[in-house]
Amino acid sequence: MIVRTLLFALPLLFALPLLWLAPLASAAATPAPTLVYAFSRFEPYKTVDADGKPGGPYTVLLQELARRSGVQLDIVHCPLQRCLALLQRGQADLSIGIRGNAERDRYLDFLDPPFAPATATVLLQRRDDPRPIRHYDDLYALRVGVVEGASYFQRFDDDKLMRRDAAPSARLALRKLTAKRFDVLLINAQQGSQLSRELGARQYRRAELQFPGELPRRIALSRLSPAVQAARPRLAAQLQQMLRDGSVRRILDGDAVQAAHAGSKRSGRSLHSMSTPH
């Protein structure tokens, strides 16, 4: 009887380790969660290449953060207002290069720590326009160019008396300035420098008046996205590590962007396809 019992028990003893391994194998096969990145063009931080693929330092930063956090990143290319609507409905999970304000804070949350300090906002004029602009009140006599849906700083955003003329993008806004559709263009300092160089720096000059940045730059999260809220602790921890090891600085300086583009050309992959974790 004892021999028969042991013989009967042996297959069970061998099977037990396999039963313990089954949940582990199942967990390993579970696909990484996917987060939807609402991408709106914002040069030089968020760019589109000749093939229409999103890139730029902000996009590379999010891709590297997703890789380190063990999530996949799907990119949805949309105009700014459409991107905001997707985030508001929870149909997109996160974005970058979007400033918070009273309205947006109802549906957007922002990841800590900030990844960069605030950036100044400047006023561009046509070079042949001699009018001095030294004080905020000087703007009331002018038509001020803005980008549709963009937020600048609280005083301006809340000002109901300011005459605004909107364009779908900063590039088109600069062209409207050249065409005298408005008198000045309100624009991020670095974005204004790059675009004016591309479109003809001699045509423009900075007004004396400029506005310091109010808020540090943070990654925007949709409050209605359970996926990104669940991933938030991992994202925050990995972003902190990227700040400590200098990865964020290198990406924003452009070194990682150039390397990523070179790597994508060698491998035949686009930056979009490189967003899948390794």
Side-chain angles (χ1 to χ4, degrees):
M1 285 295 293
I2 296 175
V3 174
R4 289 179 184 174
T5 302
L6 289 173
L7 290 174
F8 176 76
L10 282 174
L12 290 177
L13 291 173
F14 284 111
L16 282 174
L18 297 177
L19 292 174
W20 281 103
L21 287 172
L24 296 176
S26 176
T30 303
T34 297
L35 299 179
V36 176
Y37 163 30
F39 169 93
S40 57
R41 190 168 181 166
F42 180 56
E43 296 164 319
Y45 307 107
K46 295 185 289 185
T47 61
V48 177
D49 68 15
D51 297 323
K53 299 292 192 305
Y58 279 7
T59 297
V60 173
L61 191 157
L62 276 189
Q63 289 171 324
E64 177 61 11
L65 178 60
R67 186 189 70 80
R68 294 191 185 200
S69 302
V71 299
Q72 296 191 56
L73 199 65
D74 279 354
I75 302 177
V76 174
H77 193 175
C78 42
L80 176 59
Q81 288 187 305
R82 172 66 176 160
C83 285
L84 291 171
L86 293 175
L87 291 161
Q88 186 172 10
R89 294 194 294 265
Q91 294 173 331
D93 302 299
L94 75 171
S95 192
I96 189 171
I98 293 178
R99 181 183 179 276
N101 58 30
E103 178 187 353
R104 294 175 182 176
D105 289 351
R106 292 199 298 268
Y107 59 88
L108 289 180
D109 198 4
F110 290 88
L111 188 66
D112 281 317
F115 65 86
T119 306
T121 298
V122 299
L123 287 158
L124 291 184
Q125 292 179 269
R126 291 181 298 277
R127 189 167 292 278
D128 60 2
D129 184 347
R131 291 173 290 185
I133 305 173
R134 299 189 179 95
H135 308 287
Y136 182 88
D137 288 351
D138 294 340
L139 297 177
Y140 288 118
L142 307 173
R143 292 167 298 168
V144 181
V146 297
V147 174
E148 290 176 2
S151 176
Y152 294 91
F153 52 93
Q154 187 170 356
R155 181 180 180 183
F156 181 83
D157 292 344
D158 295 342
D159 195 334
K160 306 301 181 185
L161 300 178
M162 192 68 64
R163 289 191 299 160
R164 296 173 175 82
D165 190 340
S169 70
R171 185 178 293 273
L172 290 175
L174 207 54
R175 287 173 175 159
K176 289 181 73 172
L177 176 63
T178 305
K180 301 184 178 181
R181 297 283 298 277
F182 42 70
D183 302 305
V184 292
L185 173 62
L186 203 59
I187 192 167
N188 170 280
Q190 188 171 352
Q191 185 182 35
S193 295
Q194 174 163 318
L195 288 178
S196 61
R197 283 196 301 270
E198 289 181 14
L199 299 177
R202 293 181 180 179
Q203 300 180 72
Y204 314 104
R205 65 182 179 89
R206 282 191 184 183
E208 186 175 336
L209 178 65
Q210 65 176 1
F211 306 96
E214 293 180 337
L215 299 170
R217 287 177 277 177
R218 287 182 167 92
I219 295 168
L221 312 178
S222 171
R223 292 185 183 273
L224 291 183
S225 164
V228 81
Q229 294 300 332
R232 181 177 187 143
R234 279 179 291 161
L235 294 170
Q238 292 302 323
L239 180 57
Q240 183 68 65
Q241 178 58 36
M242 289 174 66
L243 287 163
R244 281 197 299 262
D245 67 24
S247 298
V248 170
R249 179 184 54 78
R250 288 191 294 273
I251 289 171
L252 295 183
D253 286 348
D255 297 343
V257 178
Q258 295 172 5
H261 277 293
S264 67
K265 288 177 181 177
R266 285 194 299 269
S267 64
R269 295 183 298 166
S270 67
L271 280 172
H272 183 100
S273 68
M274 291 172 68
S275 61
T276 303
H278 300 295

